[in-house]
Amino acid sequence: MEIVILGLAGLFFIGHFLQWFFVKTKIPDLLILIVAGFIIGPSMLNIVTYQHLGQVGTVLATVTLIIILYEGGLNLNASSMLKSSLPALLLSLLSFVLIAGLTALLLTPFFPFSTALLIGLGIGSTSSAIVFPMIKPLSLKEETKTLLSLESAFTDVLAIIAFLAVLDSVLSKNYNASAFLLGFGTKPFLSIGLGAGSAFLWAFFRKLFLKLFNMPFATEAWSLLTYGCIELFDLNGPIGILAFGFTLANLNLIPSSLSSLLNLKPVSEKEMSLLQEISFLLKTFFFLYLGMLIQLSALNIFILAVLLTLLIFATRYLAVRFVFSAKKFPYFDALVSMGMGPRGLACAVLATLPLQKGYQYGEFIQNLIFYIILISIVSTSLFVIFGQKSFFQKVFAPLFKAYIKEKSELDTVS
């Protein structure tokens, strides 16, 4: 027990140190955590065995998913989305649809279509935990940074909703085109309704009983309660939580006749700060746990992961060329945007779900996506480390001729 307590305490400080190390070296903290987990896990030193892990992975994956969606919903402001996020939404949709669709198309001859589609959807989102700090110190236009930041937030939502809808319909033996488009009947719509209703109820309680509910973690606890209730009705808890967070973030848009009944700011600054810390700790622990789960699988799985990672960056190139105008964006911005394809927390959580739910190809999907996460993070890190080197820029110059306005743009010296 003492070792466990020491480990949990140490994990907090190690996580913050690795975050600082990431800023200084551009080596992602998530990559180090995965490697560390792999080393201490059953595949290498066996310091932590599968018996030690017990059921913690299932609970951890679920709580992490709830926090991702709740925080993601809070960050989706309807007004700003309509005003300034259309290019980011276009980039998100295009990159997500391309990688999900092409992956499903290429894998269908070898696997059931449902499995191929789940893999494509499962690797559809970029990692905001890596993209945000990666692009912050780079000499990119502010518009480019905003586009890439919003893209990672949007693709998380797209991947999670689509993946869960397809997984639900596959497990229910009712998999067809309409199930994919509608997310298996009325489940998503009922889940969204309950999630939004829970947000209004919470805002109403906070208005009437502010002193009673004005404590740290109150809204987060309510989100867990909301998720549990939605799941008890055999509906889609994750989609409901996304609607819950989104509704809380946009209560200011409701008619004035109703606003007097609600607390329009049901999430305090203290709670937002606490939420960020909880999210950080979950991320740190989850990626260490992910590393423990990685197995030295067959060589063909690793090779397939490499090929699909290459496909991720190829589809990003197509999406960037379509969305980024050569007249508005310089070559370096387009080049970096193509390289911002790391897969992270959302993909990792989704990868564990088919196996947890007893899907036939669950273990294969988990191992494959774990490898893709690892390889894509390494690839993006190398892209950022070498991206400002003139030799590296010259290698990719033929792909972005329209963006290179002057020869001096290729003479960058880091």
Side-chain angles (χ1 to χ4, degrees):
M1 179 62 72
E2 294 84 358
I3 300 298
V4 174
I5 299 299
L6 287 172
L8 289 173
L11 197 61
F12 173 84
F13 294 104
I14 291 170
H16 279 284
F17 169 77
L18 290 178
Q19 202 171 49
W20 171 84
F21 187 71
F22 180 15
V23 174
K24 295 295 182 182
T25 65
K26 304 299 184 296
I27 299 175
D29 50 345
L30 304 186
L31 178 61
I32 299 174
L33 288 168
I34 293 172
V35 173
F38 178 75
I39 291 172
I40 66 174
S43 295
M44 285 198 67
L45 299 180
N46 203 36
I47 296 174
V48 180
T49 66
Y50 291 117
Q51 288 72 29
H52 291 146
L53 297 176
Q55 294 297 314
V56 69
T58 304
V59 176
L60 180 63
T62 301
V63 173
T64 304
L65 184 63
I66 294 170
I67 294 299
I68 290 174
L69 288 167
Y70 171 52
E71 190 174 20
L74 288 176
N75 290 324
L76 292 177
N77 182 277
S79 299
S80 64
M81 284 171 65
L82 291 173
K83 291 178 183 177
S84 61
S85 301
L86 288 180
L89 186 58
L90 179 60
L91 179 63
S92 306
L93 286 170
L94 196 55
S95 59
F96 175 75
V97 169
L98 281 173
I99 187 59
L102 288 176
T103 298
L105 186 65
L106 293 173
L107 294 184
T108 296
F110 310 100
F111 304 97
F113 178 70
S114 56
T115 300
L117 185 57
L118 283 172
I119 293 170
L121 296 173
I123 60 173
S125 69
T126 58
S127 172
S128 56
I130 297 176
V131 170
F132 290 175
M134 278 279 194
I135 62 177
K136 189 175 180 179
L138 298 179
S139 54
L140 301 171
K141 292 179 63 175
E142 284 303 315
E143 186 177 354
T144 302
K145 292 183 178 181
T146 301
L147 272 173
L148 294 175
S149 299
L150 288 173
E151 182 211 2
S152 60
F154 289 157
T155 53
D156 273 359
V157 174
L158 287 170
I160 291 170
I161 290 177
F163 188 94
L164 291 172
V166 172
L167 183 60
D168 269 356
S169 59
V170 169
L171 294 174
S172 66
K173 310 295 184 184
N174 191 23
Y175 181 74
N176 51 54
S178 63
F180 169 62
L181 293 174
L182 299 177
F184 186 41
T186 58
K187 271 191 174 184
F189 302 105
L190 291 174
S191 303
I192 289 170
L194 287 175
S198 177
F200 283 117
L201 186 61
W202 178 244
F204 177 71
F205 284 160
R206 293 271 290 202
K207 180 73 172 182
L208 285 182
F209 311 108
L210 181 60
K211 291 184 178 180
L212 181 61
F213 292 110
N214 191 30
M215 72 281 280
F217 198 71
T219 309
E220 288 76 13
W222 188 267
S223 70
L224 295 175
L225 183 66
T226 300
Y227 176 90
C229 290
I230 293 174
E231 286 286 321
L232 282 176
F233 285 112
D234 195 29
L235 297 174
N236 199 311
I239 293 177
I241 288 298
L242 179 65
F244 173 76
F246 178 80
T247 304
L248 288 182
N250 294 279
L251 287 173
N252 60 311
L253 299 179
I254 66 173
S256 56
S257 57
L258 296 176
S259 61
S260 59
L261 301 175
L262 305 174
N263 184 335
L264 300 184
K265 193 178 179 182
V267 182
S268 66
E269 292 181 5
K270 287 184 178 180
E271 283 185 290
M272 285 300 296
S273 177
L274 179 63
L275 177 62
Q276 291 173 356
E277 196 62 37
I278 292 171
S279 179
F280 166 77
L281 288 173
L282 279 172
K283 178 197 74 174
T284 302
F285 189 44
F286 185 83
F287 275 94
L288 193 68
Y289 170 73
L290 185 154
M292 296 175 194
L293 290 182
I294 290 179
Q295 302 175 25
L296 294 174
S297 304
L299 181 61
N300 60 340
I301 296 182
F302 179 79
I303 293 174
L304 180 58
V306 171
L307 294 176
L308 290 179
T309 303
L310 291 174
L311 184 63
I312 286 172
F313 290 102
T315 54
R316 285 197 63 78
Y317 168 73
L318 296 175
V320 167
R321 287 300 307 267
F322 185 83
V323 176
F324 282 60
S325 168
K327 294 180 180 179
K328 289 180 61 179
F329 295 92
Y331 168 51
F332 183 64
D333 288 46
L335 179 64
V336 169
S337 299
M338 184 186 77
M340 284 296 114
R343 271 43 192 167
L345 189 57
C347 293
V349 173
L350 293 177
T352 65
L353 298 182
L355 181 60
Q356 287 178 26
K357 295 179 180 293
Y359 181 56
Q360 181 182 358
Y361 291 90
E363 186 174 1
F364 170 76
I365 292 174
Q366 178 175 286
N367 290 338
L368 178 62
I369 294 181
F370 281 2
Y371 271 133
I372 291 171
I373 292 169
L374 184 61
I375 298 167
S376 65
I377 291 175
V378 171
S379 302
T380 298
S381 302
L382 294 175
F383 217 96
V384 171
I385 291 170
F386 294 108
Q388 292 178 298
K389 307 288 184 181
S390 59
F391 78 88
F392 189 86
Q393 295 185 12
K394 288 175 182 177
V395 169
F396 288 93
L399 297 176
F400 295 96
K401 286 183 179 179
Y403 297 81
I404 302 172
K405 301 172 182 64
E406 299 178 11
K407 183 180 181 299
S408 59
E409 288 189 53
L410 295 181
D411 298 329
T412 305
V413 178
S414 63

